[in-house]
Each structure stands twice: as structure tokens, then as C-alpha cells.
Amino acid sequence: MARKKPHINLVIIGHVDHGKSTMVGHFLYLVGAVDERTLKKYEEEAKALGRESWKYAWVLDKLTEERKRGLTIDLGYYKFETSKYMFTIIDAPGHRDFIKNMITGTSQADAAILVVSAKRNEFEAGYALGGQTREHAILAKTLGIDQLVVCINKMDAINYDKAAYEEIRDELKRFLAGIGYKVDKIPFIPTSGLYGDNLKEKSKNTPWYDGPTLFEALDSLEPPKPLVDKPLRLPVQKVLKIKGVGTVITGRVETGVVKKGQEIIIEPLGKKTIAQSIEMHHEPLEEAIPGDNVGINVKGIAAEEVKRGDVVGPVDNPPSVIGAGKGTFVARVVVLWHPTRIYPGYTPVMHAHTLQVATTFKNILAKYGPKGELVEEKPEYIQKGDSADVEFEPIKPSVMEVYSEFPPLGRFAIPYGAAENGMMWLLGGEKRYGSARSGGSRKGGQEGLRVLAGTRSGALLTF
Ligand code: GDP
């Protein structure tokens, strides 16, 4: 059987009107993901309106529209492939849910394409305080998207000017380095989404550019490590007490594999048991893999003992327990919205995997400015718009994991109230405590601060 190509999830980020839809539509066409006939149709429609340049953006808009009307449910995502990878664009531009989806983990991106307009006033707008070039980049980094491809777009509008490109590239490099990106690894591609420069083929309009095209840049991304190769983690959704069967734990396998007959441990309960049988859709299974929603029959454990938010793992690599004196975690967070200042001691409800637990802002370690620069050590408070490193402690023993090892168990959000379009997310962040090897590089005085959790890893801060 042919080996399937590794899969990479992409998000497209950047300021409104910087040309994201146009670029993605054009790119999908160039890589053959949209057929000629469909594009012709859009072209004619666009021409009739005297706006021919809209045809590419329409590729996305139309698909989104159809999806809304329920016509193409399976076309919820946009797929294409390069020689090495399968790609899914998991959030098309214009989806206002992008931020929420990323925080809650509905969609986890492995890489982002940041589209930045090179047109003078546009570049500045995206980059000003509150601009989305800046906001999206900070958020992407906060949420653990470490791989970035930058398109300096609308080069046609500035006559493919090398000097202007370089100026913007250097400005972006400084900013992205400031928020923690390894800028030497990031391609900065001069593009025109409208005319297709450097999307698939090298452009004759930019002879001075010797880097990759967008297509080539995507081909050199790193695919995520398959979650099936990691230790088992199954956050508990529901626990059932079934007559004649006993206790059945239900939930989705997030990482690793659970096999029938395997010895497992449930944390923070701390009890070991055997996965007597595994069922999915009323069919017995020999084993379950990431993505499977299963029920596991366990013996010797009362249904009342296990709770939603508990996590099943293998006995030789149990889920990490923190909270209530068992450990804290440190995360970089962004306060997207909150009506008041936030001081240490504040204890709102945190959501992570199936867990909901009141969690205390124990220490605010450092506050960062809009360019990701350190503004203040140990600030008294943080507020809307701030990003900060915060030490958190759940008030009850809880399972959370290091994001880099177990992405689905390392993300969290703290919702505040409800807004028009669903939840208003106060904070998005990820739990980060790394090994002694990767840690210790942090500037600004917290080096060596011990995170009490993570006994397996040695637990030095990774920032
Ligand atoms: P989005 O909001 O980032 O998705 O941006 P759109 O793709 O909708 O484009 C916004 C506007 O910029 C539209 O009027 C496009 O026609 C125009 N535009 C998009 N890409 C380019 C480009 O490469 N060059 C020029 N000159 N204009 C572009």
C-alpha cells in the first residue's frame, strides 16, 4: 500500500484586506485544487461586476458561502498537496472564529502563513497597535504555532521594489524575533496574490529574490509528530454505570493507543485498572487510536470515583498531575478581553481538554509589550491587551501536560462571559514547562524558577 503523505494543518493570518483570500484562492488554483471551469465562472461573475480581481478571493468566499448553506459540508476545509505533504487550510481568512477555534483546540494548526501587504499605508495599519498583523502573530506564537511563512504581499502595487521589500522584511524580523520566533528559519517571500508572483513559480518580477516560492516554503515545513507515537492520553468525557457491565469510561483518545486488556491508570485519581473491553459505535475494538471516541469498561472502580476531566494513561507513563499543592504551571497568555485589571489571586475557571477547574493566578511573572519586548518583571496586574507569563495553580489536583509533548492537553482558555458570537475569551495560553535541557534560556531573571509539576521532565521554564 502506498504510504500516505504526512499531513500539515495551516492557518492564514494577517490584517484584513492584506490579500489573504486572493492569495489563497489563487494558490489553490495554481496547485490544482480548484478547477479551471469553476474559476472561469467566478471570473465572469467578477467581470460582470467590473471587479475582475475578485475572482480568486471568490474561490474561498463561494466555498464558505456554500458551506454555510450546508451544500458542501465536507468541503469545510481546503485541501491541497505538495510533493511531500498533504495540506489542510483549517481556517480560511474571514472566519471570525479563528481565534476561538485555535484556543479551544477545535482546530490545531501546525504552521501559519502570515500575509502582510507591502502597500505603504496598509503595512502600517496592520502593524499599528491593535493591527491584526501584530495581534495574529502574537496569538499564533502564544498558541504554539512555531512555524511561520511570511508573504510580503501586493508587491505589484509597489513595482516589485526591492528596497521597500527589504525594509518591511527587516521590520517584521525584528518584531517576530521579539515575540520569540526564530526568524532565520522563516522565509519572507515577496508575493502578489493577484498576479501569482512567487506563489508556485519563481517570479520574473523579483530577480533580486533568491528564496523559495510559497509552494517550496510549504514543502520545507516540518510535519507534526504523529500523535499515535506518543503515550496514551484519553481525557474522560463521561462515566457511565451500565447494568451487567459495570463502569464505562468514555472519551476521545487524544494521543497514543489503548489496547484491550492493557493496564491503565486514571489521574488524578491515581488508580490502576485494566481496559477490559473497548467499544466504538457499539462495536468492540481491539485497540483505539487518536481521534477515536470510545467507551472503556474498567473493573474495580466505581463510576462515582471517576470524573470528567480525569485522564487515562499508561501505567508506565501516567498523566501529569498539578494543582492544589501538587504543582503549578507557567504559561504565556494574552488577555483578549476582560472588564477589569487582573491581580494575582484571581481564580476564574479554566478550560483545558475536558477539564474545567478554578485556577488561581498565583504569580504574574513578566509582562510583554506589543512588540513582544519585556516591559515589566512581576507587574502588579495585567489587563486587556497585555501578554504575560503567568504562574497558575488549579485549586484541585488536575491533569495538564506540556504543550509540545501533548498539544491537546497543553492548551487552555479562560472564558469570560458571553459575547454576540459565542464566548468571549479572556485568555488563551498553553502550558509550558520544559525539560532542563530545553529550559533555562529565559532572559530577565526567572531562570531557574522551578515549576513544581513535571517531575518527569525536570521542569525548568522554557521561556
Ligand atoms: P483579505 O481581507 O486579507 O482576505 O484580502 P482580500 O484578498 O479580500 O483583498 C483585499 C483587497 O486587496 C481586494 O480589493 C483585492 O483585490 C486587493 N488585493 C489582494 N491581493 C492583491 C495583490 O496581490 N495586489 C494588489 N495590488 N491588490 C491585491
Side-chain angles (χ1 to χ4, degrees):
M1 207 175 81
R3 239 173 77 86
K4 267 174 49 187
K5 290 178 185 173
H7 189 240
I8 295 182
N9 286 326
L10 282 176
V11 288
I12 319 297
I13 57 178
H15 198 70
V16 61
D17 279 350
H18 279 203
K20 299 180 295 300
S21 311
T22 304
M23 172 178 297
V24 174
H26 200 156
F27 186 77
L28 288 176
Y29 169 69
L30 291 176
V31 299
V34 178
D35 65 279
E36 188 92 34
R37 236 186 59 210
T38 309
L39 193 76
K40 265 260 151 353
K41 198 177 102 208
Y42 296 156
E43 196 171 346
E44 276 156 25
E45 287 177 27
K47 248 188 195 155
L49 289 175
R51 301 301 295 261
E52 206 189 328
S53 67
W54 285 2
K55 66 180 174 188
Y56 296 118
W58 278 8
V59 171
L60 285 185
D61 294 351
K62 294 277 171 175
L63 291 178
T64 309
E65 215 175 88
E66 286 182 13
R67 185 170 73 184
K68 271 197 199 128
R69 297 207 310 265
L71 295 177
T72 47
I73 294 163
D74 293 338
L75 249 180
Y77 301 113
Y78 313 103
K79 291 185 190 305
F80 63 93
E81 54 189 294
T82 59
S83 57
K84 270 163 60 190
Y85 304 126
M86 285 294 309
F87 283 91
T88 302
I89 298 176
I90 54 174
D91 248 300
H95 284 193
R96 293 284 160 251
D97 287 346
F98 157 69
I99 289 174
K100 193 175 84 186
N101 288 348
M102 295 226 332
I103 294 175
T104 54
T106 322
S107 45
Q108 174 54 32
D110 305 306
I113 301 176
L114 172 63
V115 179
V116 184
S117 172
K119 277 170 101 170
R120 256 302 154 213
N121 45 0
E122 290 189 359
F123 172 71
E124 257 99 52
Y127 205 62
L129 205 63
Q132 290 146 325
T133 303
R134 176 196 298 282
E135 248 177 26
H136 285 180
I138 292 174
L139 205 64
K141 182 68 186 138
T142 304
L143 295 176
I145 302 176
D146 287 325
Q147 300 192 81
L148 198 63
V149 173
V150 178
C151 292
I152 298 179
N153 196 32
K154 303 198 186 182
M155 286 300 295
D156 61 286
I158 60 160
N159 291 322
Y160 301 94
D161 180 12
K162 180 179 182 226
Y165 158 85
E166 283 173 347
E167 200 183 311
I168 290 174
R169 178 198 62 195
D170 294 345
E171 182 68 37
L172 287 170
K173 269 193 179 178
R174 270 194 296 279
F175 163 64
L176 293 170
I179 61 174
Y181 275 107
K182 293 191 178 68
V183 288
D184 294 342
K185 291 199 175 150
I186 298 177
F188 291 82
I189 311 169
T191 56
S192 164
L194 198 52
Y195 296 104
D197 296 277
N198 292 321
L199 297 188
K200 178 103 195 293
E201 308 290 338
K202 280 219 179 334
S203 169
K204 292 193 179 64
N205 295 318
T206 54
W208 40 265
Y209 173 71
D210 59 5
T213 62
L214 178 58
F215 190 79
E216 290 162 349
L218 294 177
D219 222 15
S220 57
L221 292 171
E222 293 282 332
K225 205 172 158 214
L227 295 174
V228 68
D229 293 347
K230 294 178 179 287
L232 169 68
R233 294 293 183 265
L234 183 155
V236 175
Q237 287 274 5
K238 254 199 256 167
V239 186
L240 312 172
K241 190 153 66 176
I242 299 179
K243 264 215 179 85
V245 177
T247 302
V248 172
I249 291 173
T250 71
R252 184 173 67 188
V253 178
E254 294 290 359
T255 60
V257 177
V258 57
K259 292 190 161 76
K260 186 179 162 191
Q262 183 185 340
E263 195 181 5
I264 51 175
I265 185 164
I266 304 164
E267 293 287 10
L269 184 63
K271 279 205 172 175
K272 293 178 187 170
T273 178
I274 304 283
Q276 302 255 13
S277 63
I278 306 171
E279 264 196 17
M280 183 160 69
H281 309 305
H282 307 291
E283 300 280 339
L285 284 184
E286 285 303 308
E287 63 171 40
I289 59 170
D292 289 349
N293 271 301
V294 294
I296 300 177
N297 175 220
V298 294
K299 283 278 165 335
I301 292 185
E304 295 74 31
E305 287 182 276
V306 187
K307 286 188 287 301
R308 183 185 165 92
D310 288 0
V311 178
V312 175
V315 288
D316 60 353
N317 193 332
S320 310
V321 180
I322 52 161
K326 289 186 185 299
T328 59
F329 69 94
V330 172
R332 174 77 56 94
V333 297
V334 182
V335 184
L336 296 176
W337 190 84
H338 194 262
T340 58
R341 293 169 172 177
I342 296 169
Y343 292 87
Y346 181 43
T347 306
V349 175
M350 174 187 75
H351 297 229
H353 57 91
T354 58
L355 175 73
Q356 291 187 22
V357 62
T359 298
T360 305
F361 282 63
K362 209 173 153 103
N363 284 299
I364 303 173
L365 301 170
K367 187 168 112 173
Y368 299 91
K371 291 195 178 177
E373 72 281 15
L374 181 70
V375 171
E376 198 181 347
E377 298 268 353
K378 291 233 148 216
E380 205 189 334
Y381 62 86
I382 49 175
Q383 59 191 357
K384 182 181 170 222
D386 287 343
S387 55
D389 287 347
V390 176
E391 184 183 11
F392 291 98
E393 184 173 36
I395 64 164
K396 290 189 215 156
S398 307
V399 170
M400 276 188 77
E401 296 288 0
V402 182
Y403 176 84
S404 54
E405 269 300 298
F406 299 97
L409 284 89
R411 267 190 306 263
F412 67 93
I414 300 176
Y416 187 95
E420 283 161 42
N421 49 359
M423 287 291 211
M424 188 74 96
W425 297 97
L426 154 65
L427 289 164
E430 66 179 78
K431 178 189 181 193
R432 296 191 191 208
Y433 56 84
S435 66
R437 262 177 297 115
S438 61
S441 61
R442 193 176 193 292
K443 295 186 287 283
Q446 270 97 39
E447 199 170 285
L449 179 85
R450 289 268 156 190
V451 178
L452 300 173
T455 44
R456 276 202 320 279
S457 60
L460 272 179
L461 284 183
T462 47
F463 281 101

